[in-house]
Amino acid sequence: MNAVSSTQSATHTSSRWTIADAMKIHTDDPTTTMPVIDYAFPVIDSDVWQWDTWLLRDIHGKTVTFKGWYVMFALVADRSATGDTVEGWHSRNNYSYIGYYYSRTGNGADWKFGGRVIKEGANSRSWEWSGCAVMRENSGSTVDLFYTSVNDTPSESVPSYTTGRILADANGVWFEGFDVCTDMFQADGVNYANIVEDQYWDFRDPHIFRNPDDNQIYALFEGNVPGMRGDFTIGSDEMGLVPPATTVPAGAQYGAAAIGIARLKSDSTKGDFSQWEMLPALVTALGVNDQTERPHVVFQDGLTYLFTISHHSTFTGNSTGPDGVYGFVSRNGIFGPYTPLNGSGLVLGNPSAAPYETYSHFVDPAGYVQSFIDTLPQPGSADPQDPATYRIGGTLAPTVKIVLDGERTFLTEVHAYGQVYAQGVWPTSSAWDKRS
Ligand code: FRU
């Protein structure tokens, strides 16, 4: 069975991000390019490296404040553990845990680091990687935290969850619980590649939401097209509408990213997120790119916007594009079919003057986009990728706003570093009456 037919089912057919779509990617278009960040950017907390970040939200995707506090979760690593150096920053994945921050105002300058969320030892594997934090529906203070439980040896990557309570007073925010971690699902080798098929397989970053069309709970996640690595045939479906005489570029077959989806089968009202039905990918990037990370969704104007982050280094064949956030839109709900936004899929990329300045962009339902600063070239530097002169980030970039206009997106505003906005409050008064 080749990979493409295995991604098809009675429920839906995976949409494709094709080689022709990727040919339309243009770096430095002002409507799809992050602003160049000031070399003198501020750091939220210089004791930790901060990268992938997600805000406390409800199951519908709205960012919420809790008792008036903005709350964000992030992958962090203690700089004292990694070393406060270029090498330390690049080793952070091996020290990663989920930390949290809180702020009264949502102003970037105002965040306080609150420490670790998951009880030490509760995650049975080596590291905690990305996910999301969702206020349990009809509860006063229950938070379900979804994350990726990653193991070093043997190599494992398992979307998982843990539950706790959020508490707050006039001085700050803290947590209780998060002391039991449970696996959600594993790469099955049928809908998504597993490690046997692809030693570089990706299977992580659960994003949980309630689908407005059928009211069911789903998880999006990063996966790969099933099949042996490099063993894919790139044909006209993967090429798309390319000019005549375009041939399949060498190496294209190593790109096999997939935006995964699974449907919850267990009872969320009891806090049981352990049973899921694996479904075929929403979008595959066979022949184009090997990683579509942190997929997330925004519902607006009856359209479904699917966003994912990807790297310059994971494009394959002749395809190329900047580090940034890419996206697809469906007029028919979550299962598509999807069309690449802006024709190419590129929504916000790094400028060529600072090609690795930001990453891990997350688009909220109002179009505000958060990301972290990775490496920022010294102004005027001959080589923007020279570690001797670039400045390491490990903190949040300026928030930007994009407008979603059908199949197009536009960068329209630049806000402060680490600035956030909320679309809802928690507890809602009715939920507070029934508080658990
Ligand atoms: C994106 C990402 C995620 C992963 C995490 C690990 O920046 O690669 O896919 O969960 O970072 O640091």
Side-chain angles (χ1 to χ4, degrees):
M1 181 167 59
N2 81 15
V4 171
S5 61
S6 73
T7 64
Q8 298 180 350
S9 82
T11 49
H12 67 277
T13 302
S14 305
S15 299
R16 288 168 198 281
W17 189 17
T18 66
I19 289 174
D21 300 331
M23 287 169 99
K24 291 185 177 297
I25 294 172
H26 293 298
T27 307
D28 293 333
D29 177 324
T31 67
T32 54
T33 302
M34 288 289 288
V36 176
I37 294 174
D38 188 344
Y39 196 68
F41 60 81
V43 175
I44 291 174
D45 190 312
S46 51
D47 287 342
V48 291
W49 301 118
Q50 175 182 2
W51 65 104
D52 292 17
T53 297
W54 55 95
L55 297 168
L56 184 67
R57 65 170 175 86
D58 68 14
I59 192 84
H60 306 290
K62 280 187 184 151
T63 302
V64 296
T65 53
F66 180 77
K67 292 193 179 175
W69 291 97
Y70 293 82
V71 184
M72 71 181 177
F73 300 79
L75 298 189
V76 297
D78 296 331
R79 296 193 192 202
S80 58
T82 63
D84 198 358
T85 58
V86 170
E87 295 73 31
W89 167 244
H90 291 299
S91 73
R92 68 191 183 280
N93 271 329
N94 298 351
Y95 298 84
S96 168
Y97 66 91
I98 296 170
Y100 76 100
Y101 300 73
Y102 54 94
S103 154
R104 256 299 177 217
T105 61
N107 290 339
D110 199 36
W111 289 110
K112 286 192 185 54
F113 182 59
R116 178 182 282 277
V117 180
I118 300 179
K119 283 268 149 54
E120 216 146 351
N123 173 41
S124 59
R125 300 186 180 89
S126 317
W127 307 301
E128 301 161 15
W129 285 13
S130 288
C132 61
V134 182
M135 291 299 322
R136 175 92 53 87
E137 290 170 291
N138 301 314
S139 94
S141 61
T142 304
V143 178
D144 296 305
L145 179 67
F146 302 86
Y147 73 104
T148 313
S149 177
V150 180
N151 206 43
D152 186 5
T153 319
S155 186
E156 291 177 310
S157 177
V158 186
S160 300
Y161 73 98
T162 177
T163 297
R165 288 184 70 206
I166 180 169
L167 298 108
D169 64 15
N171 299 316
V173 170
W174 67 101
F175 293 98
E176 283 176 356
F178 301 108
D179 46 4
V180 177
C181 296
T182 307
D183 292 353
M184 293 163 65
F185 44 73
Q186 303 245 13
D188 56 7
V190 176
N191 289 290
Y192 300 96
N194 59 21
I195 192 172
V196 177
E197 295 167 326
D198 180 350
Q199 60 168 315
Y200 301 105
W201 97 122
D202 304 304
F203 200 72
R204 55 181 188 252
D205 306 346
H207 176 85
I208 277 57
F209 66 98
R210 194 178 274 289
N211 178 23
D213 288 335
D214 62 10
N215 213 30
Q216 308 244 15
I217 291 180
Y218 291 87
L220 301 180
F221 52 88
E222 171 185 4
N224 288 115
V225 176
M228 296 308 286
R229 181 173 178 78
D231 220 9
F232 299 104
T233 303
I234 306 303
S236 55
D237 287 344
E238 289 75 20
M239 296 284 278
L241 302 174
V242 289
T246 308
T247 53
V248 177
Q253 72 276 16
Y254 291 102
I259 298 181
I261 186 164
R263 185 186 290 126
L264 183 68
K265 303 306 277 179
S266 48
D267 187 351
S268 64
T269 62
K270 299 200 171 103
D272 184 353
F273 296 93
S274 64
Q275 306 298 318
W276 298 80
E277 180 187 357
M278 303 307 288
L279 299 171
L282 295 179
V283 174
T284 61
L286 199 57
V288 173
N289 196 309
D290 205 34
Q291 280 197 331
T292 46
E293 308 188 286
R294 292 195 73 194
H296 55 284
V297 65
V298 169
F299 299 99
Q300 187 194 288
D301 305 331
L303 302 181
T304 303
Y305 291 89
L306 187 59
F307 296 102
T308 183
I309 53 170
S310 196
H311 287 292
H312 172 75
S313 62
T314 55
F315 279 94
T316 58
N318 293 338
S319 299
T320 186
D323 275 35
V325 58
Y326 292 79
F328 307 86
V329 62
S330 157
R331 300 189 176 276
N332 247 323
I334 192 70
F335 293 109
Y338 284 93
T339 308
L341 285 164
N342 303 316
S344 67
L346 179 62
V347 173
L348 274 179
N350 284 332
S352 55
Y356 299 102
E357 64 164 17
T358 63
Y359 194 56
S360 214
H361 306 72
F362 187 93
V363 184
D364 83 4
Y368 294 107
V369 187
Q370 271 190 302
S371 62
F372 72 85
I373 304 176
D374 190 344
T375 58
L376 194 68
Q378 196 170 46
S381 155
D383 174 6
Q385 275 138 263
D386 180 0
T389 53
Y390 64 42
R391 184 174 171 208
I392 296 291
T395 187
L396 290 182
T399 296
V400 301
K401 186 170 184 187
I402 58 172
V403 169
L404 309 179
D405 180 18
E407 294 182 2
R408 292 173 184 273
T409 67
F410 296 86
L411 169 74
T412 57
E413 294 171 17
V414 180
H415 293 250
Y417 292 88
Q419 176 83 47
V420 303
Y421 299 91
Q423 296 91 43
V425 297
W426 208 279
T428 57
S429 50
S430 60
W432 190 235
D433 295 340
K434 299 186 237 165
R435 67 177 168 267
S436 47

